[in-house]
Amino acid sequence: MKGMFAALILIASHACAVYGQTDSVMMERIYTASFEQGQAYEYLRYLTKKIGHRIAGSQKAEAAVQWSKSLMENLPFEKVYLQDVEVPYWERGKQEQAYVVTTGKPLQVLALGGSVATPLDGLEAEVVEVELLSDLRKHGDAVAGKIVFVNKPWDESIVETGVAYGLNSSQRSRGPAEAAKLGAVAYLFRSLSSSPDDDFPHTGGTRYVAGIDSIPAFAISAVGATLLSQTLKEDPSTRVHLANQSKWKGTVATHNVVAEWKGTQFPDQIITIGGHIDSWDVGEGAHDNGTGTMGTLDAIRTLMRLGYKPRHTIRLVFYMNEENGVHGAVKYGEQAKANGEQLIAAIESDAGGFAPRGFDIKSSADKVAWIQQHWKPLFEQKFWVSRFLQGSPGVDSGVWGAHFPNTLMFNFRPDPHRYFDIHHTAKDVFEAVDRRELQSGVAALASLLYLLDQHIEKVGR
Ligand SMILES: [Zn+2]
């Protein structure tokens, strides 16, 4: 009896020690495997160099879908399939042109996503400069017939660049309609770039409002914006020439790509992981979001290679059309809801492939506190991943999450410093991604996936 009691204590304490140890040993194996045998970087090389940028509805976006599907089919998933998605297709057309009429000085611009075209030979007008759209009203009638130029510099004091981006991004989407209301003929928006020395324009989505004229809308580089602002100070009657030939080309049938790794204990409980496969139509969509798709795929592949058997079903989703419509995420959510699926957790990667810093967690404060207490220490000391804070899910998870308010959601957060220097520009190419940083992110994603699969029942209890 006494001996048995001692043995029980021994088993209990042993089990306890092994429990924590098992996780840290597994994470070491994941990190080693990701650095030594990871494929995300090579997958990314193919996606960016052989396929290239891939705006939703384009042939390249569909090529990325088909190639991703074949990648997944070469891994031991039980099921790989495409989910039909209809997307509106917008085409940039011939390269935009912009210059200061008096000096001929060129300005670097990109049409904003969704923009209508100027007349074929362009348009020319005087410019009204403001920092905020709300200042436009002060100019009243003076806006009619002119180009509205919103020139709000990036707030460099904010370390988390996503916050600085968010402070000003609504002026990109609302601007053309606000300007058109006052009779403006075009909209020129200072690029959302974190660097004042950046001469690349950053595109991004914009919107028109029914019943208000649609006017051509452009992003101008930070350097161009500063130059134009100085020129206007010297001569307020300065005229600018703008030309683009963008247009909407109807709807196109395309797809989300989905792969399922069946759970051994709870096959009906699903952990979703993934990111968007489309990109803007400049650069190569490397950080946004080649790293997110190839990284999440490689995270699963890493666990597979280690002989791991998931308890819950792990479902990889490459969403279509995050950049200009989120129709893929809408479809995923509708379908999952119609099927009555149990989407217990989600991980999204759509913030670049820089060195991993942690995860934002959409959940209650007590669950986040539990994760901080039990999982953060496993990442923090050895792997330099320490951000586990309550926050927003990614865009796609946020959209389908409207149907699943109780899903525990994680938004992968790599280092934010350089992301908005290249975001939505011609600079977002394969060469801007570092292999070691990317594979470190893969290891962090695979580790979180492993911990969720092993312990989700304990989170917040
Ligand atoms: Zn993205």
Side-chain angles (χ1 to χ4, degrees), residues 356-407:
R357 293 286 178 249
F359 297 88
D360 284 349
I361 308 164
K362 185 195 156 270
S363 190
S364 60
D366 62 319
K367 289 188 181 179
V368 174
W370 190 95
I371 290 163
Q372 285 169 345
Q373 190 190 340
H374 293 86
W375 292 353
K376 183 176 156 181
L378 293 167
F379 285 91
E380 184 166 45
Q381 287 189 352
K382 210 158 181 176
F383 306 121
W384 293 48
V385 171
S386 59
R387 179 191 171 95
F388 290 83
L389 298 174
Q390 196 171 29
S392 306
V395 170
D396 287 311
S397 311
V399 165
W400 65 253
H403 299 294
F404 296 88
N406 298 320
T407 304

Side-chain angles (χ1 to χ4, degrees), residues 154 161 165 191-202 222 287 354 416-428 432:
W154 184 272
T161 53
Y165 180 84
S191 288
L192 295 172
S193 170
S194 54
S195 166
D197 302 317
D198 182 4
D199 202 15
F200 283 76
H202 297 228
H287 279 283
F354 295 104
H417 285 286
R418 289 187 287 153
Y419 186 60
F420 289 101
D421 183 29
I422 59 167
H423 183 246
H424 297 179
T425 70
K427 286 186 278 187
D428 189 7

Side-chain angles (χ1 to χ4, degrees), residues 130 132-141 143 178 182:
V130 290
L132 299 171
L133 284 169
S134 52
D135 296 339
L136 263 187
R137 269 173 249 128
K138 290 183 209 153
H139 294 266
D141 293 345
V143 175
E178 297 280 322
L182 297 170

Side-chain angles (χ1 to χ4, degrees), residues 276 288-289 322-323 350 419:
H276 69 88
D288 190 10
N289 185 34
E322 186 271 346
E323 295 292 8
D350 181 20
Y419 186 60

Side-chain angles (χ1 to χ4, degrees), residues 4 12 36 45 95 158 195 223 243 326 342 350 368 406 458:
M4 203 172 136
E36 291 183 354
R45 186 195 301 276
Q95 201 192 332
I158 301 172
S195 166
V223 166
V326 293
Q342 298 178 55
D350 181 20
V368 174
N406 298 320
K458 305 183 191 93

